[in-house]
Amino acid sequence: MANLHFHYGVMGAAKTAQLLTTAFNLMQTGKRVEIIKPQRDDRFSDNEIVSRIGLRMPALSLKNFDSYIPKPDTQFILIDEVQFFSSGDVDKLARIINYSKVIIMGYGLMTDSNEHLFPASQRLIEVGAKLHLIEANCQIDGCMNLATHNARFDANGHIITNGPQIAVGADRYRSVCRMHFEKFKCGMLLNQITK
Ligand SMILES: [Zn+2]
C-alpha cells in the first residue's frame, strides 16, 4: 500500500470534509491519527479544522515541519491545505515515511488561480505520492463539466490570472471547467453568467 497520498481537488470540492470523514473512520477502528494544518489558515479556528458543511476536529497547527516529529504511536498523519506548506516540507514528510510505518495523506489544491502548480503539490508528485482526484462540477450555472480550475475574479467580475499565488481579501473564487476558464480569459465577465 502506498504510504504517501495526495487527495487533490478544486476549491469547494469538500476536501476537508473528506479528510475529517477519513479521520473519523480510522479512529473508529482504533487507528491513531494526527491531523495537521498550516498555521496561516485561521479562517475558522487555529487549533481545529472545520469543513464548510460543519464537521470539525482538533488539529495541530504548524508553520512548517522543521521540528515536527510524529508521536511514537501515530499510524496516520492527515494534512489539510497541504499546498500551503513548502516543497522542503514535503521532503521532510517523505523522510518520515521512509523511516517509519506511518501513512501520510495530504489534502489540498493542485493548482493556483494562475494555472500553476503549488510548490508543495508539485513536490508531492515528484516524490511519488499516490494521486487521488476529488471531483467537483463546474460552478457555473447549468454546466456539468468537471471543475479543473480555481478561477479568481476582481470586484467587477474580471478574471485574474496573474495575481499572487496566495491571496486573501475581497477577490471572489469559482471552481470552473477548462472551457469556462478560457471564456473568462477571453473577456467574459463572471457577472454575465452567474450571481
Ligand atoms: Zn463549465
Side-chain angles (χ1 to χ4, degrees):
M1 183 188 176
N3 53 10
L4 179 61
H5 300 261
F6 183 25
H7 298 261
Y8 68 99
V10 294
M11 297 170 75
K15 298 181 295 299
T16 300
Q18 283 216 10
L19 181 156
L20 292 170
T21 304
T22 300
F24 179 80
N25 289 336
L26 288 168
M27 290 172 190
Q28 283 285 91
T29 55
K31 306 294 191 302
R32 286 174 292 279
V33 179
E34 285 187 52
I35 302 175
I36 294 172
K37 66 173 203 168
Q39 201 163 66
R40 61 172 301 286
D41 182 6
D42 55 3
R43 280 176 304 174
F44 299 104
S45 164
D46 206 40
N47 52 14
E48 62 179 2
I49 57 175
V50 183
S51 77
R52 287 179 183 80
I53 59 172
L55 302 171
R56 60 178 62 212
M57 274 191 195
L60 175 65
S61 177
L62 292 179
K63 271 208 168 76
N64 55 54
F65 286 90
D66 289 356
S67 52
Y68 169 76
I69 299 171
K71 292 176 192 154
D73 60 349
T74 292
Q75 295 170 290
F76 291 86
I77 300 171
L78 274 50
I79 304 169
D80 196 31
E81 303 277 20
V82 69
Q83 78 277 0
F84 290 139
F85 287 103
S86 70
S87 57
D89 287 321
V90 173
D91 285 328
K92 288 173 193 121
L93 293 171
R95 235 164 276 142
I96 287 172
I97 53 176
N98 286 346
Y99 298 103
S100 72
K101 289 196 163 68
V102 170
I103 291 175
I104 296 181
M105 300 178 180
Y107 292 75
L109 301 174
M110 183 68 87
T111 54
D112 62 23
S113 55
N114 307 324
E115 291 187 284
H116 295 137
L117 291 168
F118 282 91
S121 307
Q122 178 180 344
R123 194 66 191 139
L124 280 163
I125 299 170
E126 291 168 344
V127 300
K130 182 168 182 179
L131 302 178
H132 309 264
L133 171 62
I134 301 175
E135 294 192 10
N137 281 338
C138 177
Q139 291 180 337
I140 302 306
D141 284 353
C143 182
M144 293 299 288
N145 291 340
L146 179 73
T148 51
H149 287 65
N150 301 295
R152 177 191 298 166
F153 299 90
D154 67 18
N156 298 316
H158 294 280
I159 194 166
I160 304 169
T161 56
N162 58 357
Q165 185 162 55
I166 298 170
V168 288
D171 293 343
R172 290 176 292 170
Y173 288 88
R174 289 287 188 285
S175 302
V176 301
C177 68
R178 188 178 303 105
M179 178 194 74
H180 275 116
F181 194 82
E182 289 299 325
K183 284 188 174 181
F184 288 123
K185 284 210 303 192
C186 290
M188 181 184 273
L189 298 179
L190 179 62
N191 315 354
Q192 286 176 331
I193 54 172
T194 185
K195 299 252 172 346

